[in-house]
Amino acid sequence: ARQFLERAGLEVGTVTTRLSPATPGTVITQTPRAYSTVRAGSAVSFVLAGSEAEAATLSVPDLVGRTFEEARAIVERLPLSEGAVRRQEAQETEGTVLAQQPGPGTVVVAGTAIDLTVAIPRTVALPDIVGYLESEARQILDRAELRVRTVKAVESRAQPDTVLSQTPVRGTRLEVGAEVDFAVATLMTVSVPDLVGRTPDAARRDLQVLELGLGAVTPQESRQPPGTVLSQAPAGGGRATVGSDVDVV
């Protein structure tokens, strides 16, 4: 029967044994039935005649490559039972049967438990990217098969574009392709004080307290007392980078 199916371009499905007066080993029924139209490569299951001892055995079907739900349904339809289910990280689609025990084609007694190994998504440990430049952090995550979701700019005294924090934290196990958030340093800024009406020396002291410098001092004729600041750039109330200068007139 196996050779006949092979010549017809078909595969052997589940083979079971049933007590029968026919010669032991003879095919007594098949599914699909004879002369049915099926696609090439389809599986044909059949029942063999057997003695009283043989009738309590059957051939284990091939479950590898099927979904866990499909494999469970096949086991439930046969005089077999569901055994242990082990999860294993793999590239295959989640829920795909990777291995089985006993293996396909093994002749077992009715009621034998079939153990399955089922695929779950691969995971990686999130690397530590704090302290790296943003461009370096992106490369590290790419090598770990992780993606960047959001990058938040945070004012800091650290070197600009340096990663200050990450979410999740390093060492967290993530599914391959998961997204990671992190924050990078930008230059510190302060609110520029209002210098109009001050003297250059007083303006310089006000700016030094805020880690700003007095830039160009341009004289201009005015009715105000000599040395009075008439205008400034940036204007008071604006934001300026720490270490930058404020020009006055």
Side-chain angles (χ1 to χ4, degrees):
R2 291 178 182 273
Q3 294 175 353
F4 184 82
L5 291 175
E6 184 177 350
R7 288 196 297 270
L10 300 172
E11 295 185 2
V12 176
T14 303
V15 179
T16 57
T17 304
R18 182 187 304 167
L19 183 63
S20 170
T23 302
T26 303
V27 176
I28 54 178
T29 62
Q30 68 181 72
T31 305
R33 291 181 297 178
Y35 305 113
S36 299
T37 300
V38 297
R39 291 182 179 180
S42 297
V44 178
S45 300
F46 50 87
V47 179
L48 301 176
S51 62
E52 186 172 346
E54 294 172 329
T57 64
L58 71 158
S59 175
V60 175
D62 187 358
L63 305 176
V64 175
R66 296 183 178 273
T67 66
F68 176 65
E69 290 73 18
E70 290 173 339
R72 172 182 279 176
I74 292 172
V75 170
E76 289 178 346
R77 287 197 300 268
L78 299 173
L80 297 170
S81 62
E82 183 179 331
V85 178
R86 188 170 72 90
R87 312 289 177 179
Q88 179 177 308
E89 293 185 8
Q91 293 182 335
E92 284 79 1
T93 303
E94 183 176 6
T96 301
V97 176
L98 303 174
Q100 66 182 84
Q101 186 62 38
T106 303
V107 176
V108 298
V109 297
T112 295
I114 308 299
D115 298 333
L116 301 177
T117 300
V118 180
I120 58 175
R122 291 189 298 127
T123 63
V124 293
L126 176 59
D128 185 4
I129 58 174
V130 174
Y132 288 93
L133 295 177
E134 179 182 348
S135 59
E136 296 171 331
R138 289 180 178 274
Q139 293 174 356
I140 292 170
L141 293 176
D142 185 60
R143 289 195 294 268
E145 299 182 79
L146 298 172
R147 296 186 297 159
V148 176
R149 180 167 56 185
T150 59
V151 179
K152 181 181 179 181
V154 177
E155 291 188 6
S156 170
R157 296 186 182 277
Q159 179 182 349
D161 291 329
T162 301
V163 177
L164 302 174
S165 62
Q166 65 185 80
T167 304
V169 298
R170 66 176 182 177
T172 303
R173 294 207 67 84
L174 302 174
E175 289 186 12
V176 168
E179 296 179 323
V180 179
D181 303 320
F182 58 88
V184 296
T186 60
L187 294 173
M188 293 281 292
T189 63
V190 292
S191 178
V192 178
D194 186 359
L195 305 176
V196 175
R198 307 282 283 172
T199 66
D201 287 341
R204 181 178 288 106
R205 289 193 297 271
D206 292 345
L207 293 172
Q208 286 177 345
V209 170
L210 298 172
E211 299 181 71
L212 297 174
L214 181 62
V217 179
T218 304
Q220 178 178 302
E221 293 183 358
S222 171
R223 296 181 182 275
Q224 297 296 324
T228 301
V229 175
L230 303 175
S231 64
Q232 66 184 85
R239 303 293 296 182
T241 303
V242 167
S244 63
D245 292 336
V246 178
D247 299 330
V248 298
V249 176

